[in-house]
Amino acid sequence: QVQLVESGGGLVQPGGSLRLSCAASGTFFRINTMGWYRQAPGKQRELVATITSSGNTNYAVSVKGRFTISRDNAKNTVYLQMNSLKPEETGVYYCNAVVTKTSLAFHVVDYWGKGTLVTVSS
């Protein structure tokens, strides 16, 4: 019912920057929270940043000050600006959206994108 399509991943040198985008489409009443998670090879998926519909943000300690999450509610799109990237931040970055499916506020569903690969290497 809801699809999340990520874009913007790729190869970047240490210290470089990338901007990820994720557009949501499908059937839903509203998107409550959108966020980015990443999974490094051999590691568990971890939270990178989230943003609520009202614009409140939450960041992993390791990325605070370097990454910026934002969203365009009119476009149902969330962005992640990543600066000063480190090799250990290589991994698959997944877009997440918590949505209210209908006008019934208790009907909340969690969706995930397929992921976009970010490789930080020289």
Side-chain angles (χ1 to χ4, degrees):
Q1 294 298 313
V2 177
Q3 290 186 314
L4 304 176
V5 180
E6 302 105 329
S7 62
L11 175 65
V12 63
Q13 295 183 357
S17 299
L18 283 175
R19 192 188 193 210
L20 306 182
S21 300
C22 173
S25 62
T27 303
F28 52 85
F29 180 70
R30 67 175 295 174
I31 303 175
N32 302 331
T33 302
M34 302 187 80
W36 292 93
Y37 296 72
R38 68 187 176 197
Q39 187 167 23
K43 302 293 182 64
Q44 294 189 38
R45 189 176 302 183
E46 64 177 353
L47 180 145
V48 178
T50 61
I51 183 168
T52 69
S53 59
S54 60
N56 293 323
T57 59
N58 176 254
Y59 295 93
V61 172
S62 63
V63 309
K64 194 171 298 184
R66 297 185 297 115
F67 291 12
T68 302
I69 189 170
S70 61
R71 65 190 285 173
D72 186 333
N73 291 332
K75 297 180 179 179
N76 296 320
T77 300
V78 64
Y79 307 93
L80 184 68
Q81 178 66 47
M82 304 185 293
N83 298 326
S84 302
L85 281 160
K86 304 174 181 180
E88 57 265 37
E89 293 173 321
T90 291
V92 178
Y93 283 66
Y94 296 92
C95 179
N96 171 257
V98 180
V99 310
T100 299
K101 290 289 291 181
T102 70
S103 60
L104 300 176
F106 55 82
H107 192 186
V108 176
V109 183
D110 198 40
Y111 290 95
W112 293 90
K114 295 185 296 183
T116 184
L117 179 63
V118 173
T119 303
V120 185
S121 176
S122 59

